[in-house]
Amino acid sequence: MRTHVVDHPLVAHKLSTLRDARTDSPTFRRLADELVTLLAYEATRDVRVEEVGITTPVTRTTGVQLSRPRPLVVPIIRAGLGMLEGMVRLLPTAEVGFLGMIRDEETLQASTYANRMPDDLSGRQVYVLDPMLATGGTLVAAIQELIRRGADDVTALCLLAAPEGVAVMERELAGTPVTVVTASVDERLNEQGFIVPGLGDAGDRMYGTVS
């Protein structure tokens, strides 16, 4: 597994505003969307393409287009939905699947409650969207499901990561073709499994608290 921290002034600027507890939900959603597009630029550096002939206003030449099968973008519901628009803005021809996963706040274990993806992902590059790589349980479970379906190249986009979560993924997904692209690997997890300094609960920050 490979972890890539995107080092760019605009990434750092937007992330700093996301961290601020005073940032309201509409601003948080907008900045998260912009940040995801910046992360997606790095995450798609190795997207598969094929040559195609094109005619410019001047002459014939050779360009490239995304290879088939098209990439698949998979947001993890609910917070991952806030990252979807920023990702498909860069990959408008990608297909979109969905995974609904929930974490038990006592055991910190993730379980799947909704699944809308192709049964066969052979030959697909898959981009998983999950704002927070905290304990790692949710992303590990999601990526293992993708690999069971035949995916051979998985990239996870996360706004933030904790070193504990990165370590869990490196251990549980050893030997699998997985890359994590994030804006920051923070200091640690606290006793409740939240990233420190982090930005709080990304889903609540985006959409408000659902009671």
Side-chain angles (χ1 to χ4, degrees):
M1 197 195 83
R2 184 172 69 95
T3 302
H4 176 50
V5 179
V6 179
D7 181 17
H8 191 284
L10 287 178
V11 169
H13 167 73
K14 294 177 190 301
L15 179 57
S16 296
T17 307
L18 290 176
R19 291 188 191 277
D20 194 329
R22 298 170 298 178
T23 301
D24 59 24
S25 289
T27 305
F28 191 98
R29 286 195 299 270
R30 176 177 58 81
L31 288 174
D33 176 82
E34 294 172 359
L35 180 54
V36 169
T37 299
L38 294 174
L39 297 179
Y41 180 81
E42 291 295 329
T44 56
R45 187 173 294 276
D46 295 321
V47 69
R48 296 168 187 163
V49 295
E50 58 191 19
E51 289 190 351
V52 60
I54 55 176
T55 302
T56 78
V58 179
T59 187
R60 289 282 296 173
T61 189
T62 301
V64 298
Q65 64 181 10
L66 293 183
S67 301
R68 293 185 179 275
R70 298 295 189 192
L72 181 70
V73 177
V74 181
I76 296 179
I77 303 171
R78 78 177 161 137
L81 291 175
M83 302 173 69
L84 180 58
E85 185 63 31
M87 185 70 190
V88 298
R89 181 181 297 115
L90 207 63
L91 280 178
T93 61
E95 295 183 356
V96 179
F98 297 93
L99 264 178
M101 307 197 77
I102 189 167
R103 186 180 72 164
D104 187 298
E105 295 304 325
E106 292 185 2
T107 66
L108 303 183
Q109 297 299 308
S111 59
T112 302
Y113 67 86
N115 190 327
R116 185 70 173 177
M117 294 188 301
D119 291 332
D120 184 7
L121 297 176
S122 300
R124 291 268 192 145
Q125 286 182 293
V126 184
Y127 298 90
V128 184
L129 310 180
D130 192 13
M132 313 298 282
L133 171 50
T135 64
T138 298
L139 265 179
V140 165
I143 291 171
Q144 287 174 337
E145 177 62 27
L146 296 170
I147 292 171
R148 278 194 294 270
R149 292 171 182 245
D152 65 356
D153 189 331
V154 180
T155 300
L157 280 77
C158 306
L159 302 181
L160 289 180
E164 295 92 334
V166 172
V168 166
M169 290 190 65
E170 288 175 343
R171 182 180 71 245
E172 298 295 327
L173 300 172
T176 59
V178 176
T179 300
V180 173
V181 177
T182 184
S184 173
V185 176
D186 277 11
E187 295 174 10
R188 59 183 174 86
L189 293 179
N190 65 15
E191 294 77 9
Q192 290 75 42
F194 282 91
I195 299 175
V196 179
L199 48 75
D201 185 296
D204 289 349
R205 297 289 306 277
M206 286 180 185
Y207 303 117
T209 303
V210 179
S211 56

